Amino acid sequence: MPVANTRLNTILWPLAALLPLAALLTPALVAQQARTPQSERIVPPDPVLTAYISGTVTMADGGLVPKETNVELVCGGFPRATDRVDPRGEFDIELSGRGVGLTDATQSSGRADGVPTANHLGVVNMNNCYVRAELPGHRSSEIQLTNRSMFDNPDVGRLELTAVEGGRGHAVSISIAQAPKKALQHYQWAVKEVAKPRPNFEKAGARLQSAVREDPRFAGAWQLMGQVHEKLGQPEDALSSYQQALVAEPELFPVYRRIVPLLVDAGDMEGAIKVGEKGLEINADLDALRFFVAGAYLRTGQNEECIEKALELVEREATSTYPQAHQFLGAAYTNTGQFELAASHYRQFLNLSPEATAAAGITKQLKEWTMLGVIEPAAQGR
């Protein structure tokens, strides 16, 4: 996952000025144990071999599932594809990256080209993936996935949505329903184009430019334009488009998940913190934002703030997806001279990611601290 690795390294590599160990911290975003050896990695499938995952969303209170409900496939901590539930609350996601409908085009991550695909035997490696539902003001259960075959029953089970107090924001831009007819036509053309197996992003971008000329507050068009710019390798233009989307609709929370990593890429850690904290005020379930904000706090020397955000990831049981939360805590506690706490979290990071790039350096540091008497030896079997 080169994009995620680059972003994580952007957060971590300059930490040498903050702590002795930091120069050794260059982990991959996904826990290394979830990676498969090069010889076993999946290859693009034959077009006729397509796997799916499907299931049902229900409401904890027994009510009808709102039509605005979406289901996300999340791999490595980032959304890869989405599907809108049908009137019966059912969803169906194609594991080829091709099954992208209107909802996906307006919401799914620019990393949608990372959708796991089947190998020549029709097997899809999904050990680092899960599905969840998304509806403003609700918290979703999650279904952890494993290796799947195109011959398996695609039904992965039932997701449940529970209402939470104080939920804010919306997942789908309200501007789509409010845009002038001509702007909407340009937008819908672009949506269809980016959903093609081989989209022409330049043409889609031109249509979206026409849409926002017709309606400068068309947040949905700005949002999709940002994704198009990302696909075209134009991060500055993508950042500008996402910022325009938030000017028009400040509570369109999927945009926050896109804009914060771009700010980190650009080295704007203070900007990433400001926008990320705003996004978390709107939707406290956005652990991807919490992760990047914690790293940005560490990069800027705000150790107590980093500790607070990283501990939230631990308390939310999100460290299977973001094991680096323990690494952040180890670094921040080291900076504040709390070496036993630092050692505890470094050991937890090693337990979760024993093959991570940073593992050797952390192990060496722990041994040095033990020899110097800075920390107590680890308990047997730890």
Side-chain angles (χ1 to χ4, degrees):
M1 298 174 58
V3 173
N5 290 349
T6 299
R7 285 176 175 156
L8 182 60
N9 291 338
T10 301
I11 290 175
L12 288 174
W13 78 262
L15 292 178
L18 297 178
L19 69 162
L21 179 59
L24 300 170
L25 303 180
T26 54
L29 179 60
V30 181
Q32 297 296 315
Q33 71 271 26
R35 288 190 170 183
T36 54
Q38 184 68 41
S39 61
E40 299 177 13
R41 287 183 186 168
I42 56 177
V43 296
D46 183 280
V48 300
L49 298 180
T50 302
Y52 296 82
I53 55 172
S54 60
T56 306
V57 179
T58 61
M59 307 300 290
D61 62 6
L64 295 176
V65 179
K67 64 180 181 180
E68 296 84 9
T69 303
N70 297 291
V71 175
E72 291 185 323
L73 169 65
V74 181
C75 298
F78 293 98
R80 301 294 178 172
T82 68
D83 187 40
R84 177 73 62 81
V85 298
D86 68 14
R88 293 171 296 183
E90 297 175 351
F91 64 90
D92 188 20
I93 297 176
E94 180 182 350
L95 301 179
S96 67
R98 298 174 305 195
V100 180
L102 184 149
T103 303
D104 299 283
T106 58
Q107 283 191 238
S108 65
S109 169
R111 307 169 188 83
D113 55 351
V115 173
T117 54
N119 63 14
H120 64 289
L121 298 176
V123 177
V124 187
N125 182 348
M126 306 195 73
N127 287 307
N128 200 39
C129 303
Y130 62 90
V131 288
R132 67 185 178 199
E134 187 172 86
L135 180 67
H138 293 76
R139 179 171 291 111
S140 172
S141 61
E142 297 177 354
I143 300 173
Q144 186 67 45
L145 303 176
T146 57
N147 284 349
R148 298 191 62 79
S149 166
M150 61 170 288
F151 304 106
D152 290 340
N153 182 340
D155 191 348
V156 296
R158 179 173 63 89
L159 292 167
E160 185 174 83
L161 284 168
T162 304
V164 294
E165 293 185 8
R168 295 171 51 199
H170 44 276
V172 179
S173 173
I174 59 176
S175 65
I176 297 171
Q178 300 173 344
K181 182 177 179 180
K182 196 167 183 180
L184 186 60
Q185 288 174 340
H186 288 304
Y187 170 77
Q188 290 174 333
W189 189 97
V191 165
K192 292 178 181 178
E193 182 62 33
V194 301
K196 293 179 180 178
R198 297 173 184 266
N200 186 320
F201 290 112
E202 288 85 357
K203 287 185 177 180
R207 284 298 188 104
L208 291 167
Q209 288 285 0
S210 297
V212 296
R213 277 197 295 269
E214 292 289 334
D215 181 6
R217 295 189 61 80
F218 194 167
W222 284 116
Q223 180 185 9
L224 184 54
M225 193 186 303
Q227 294 175 233
V228 167
H229 282 307
E230 284 196 76
K231 288 290 189 181
L232 292 172
Q234 301 164 346
E236 292 183 1
D237 290 332
L239 185 58
S240 177
S241 295
Y242 291 139
Q243 288 169 335
Q244 290 292 333
L246 291 183
V247 168
E249 284 187 52
E251 296 196 351
L252 183 57
F253 62 77
V255 177
Y256 289 91
R257 289 191 303 212
R258 313 298 298 254
I259 199 171
V260 171
L262 287 174
L263 290 167
V264 169
D265 281 351
D268 184 2
M269 298 301 155
E270 292 293 352
I273 291 168
K274 181 178 179 180
V275 176
E277 290 284 21
K278 176 66 174 177
L280 288 169
E281 288 179 13
I282 293 169
N283 187 331
D285 290 332
L286 301 179
D287 285 330
L289 289 190
R290 194 170 273 106
F291 168 76
F292 281 111
V293 170
Y297 275 132
L298 187 61
R299 274 286 311 276
T300 54
Q302 300 179 70
N303 295 296
E304 295 300 331
E305 291 81 359
C306 170
I307 290 169
E308 179 182 348
K309 280 290 174 289
L311 283 177
E312 288 176 9
L313 287 168
V314 174
E315 291 163 1
R316 291 172 58 81
E317 300 181 348
T319 54
S320 59
T321 301
Y322 302 102
Q324 293 85 2
H326 288 298
Q327 190 180 13
F328 289 158
L329 287 164
Y333 281 129
T334 299
N335 287 347
T336 57
Q338 302 176 74
F339 295 105
E340 285 291 355
L341 281 172
S344 173
H345 285 286
Y346 278 144
R347 287 168 183 146
Q348 291 180 73
F349 172 69
L350 293 175
N351 286 336
L352 289 169
S353 300
E355 298 179 8
T357 305
I362 290 175
T363 301
K364 179 180 178 181
Q365 181 70 86
L366 291 173
K367 288 180 178 178
E368 290 178 358
W369 282 350
T370 302
M371 290 176 60
L372 293 170
V374 174
I375 60 173
E376 294 293 328
Q380 189 68 26
R382 264 180 91 177

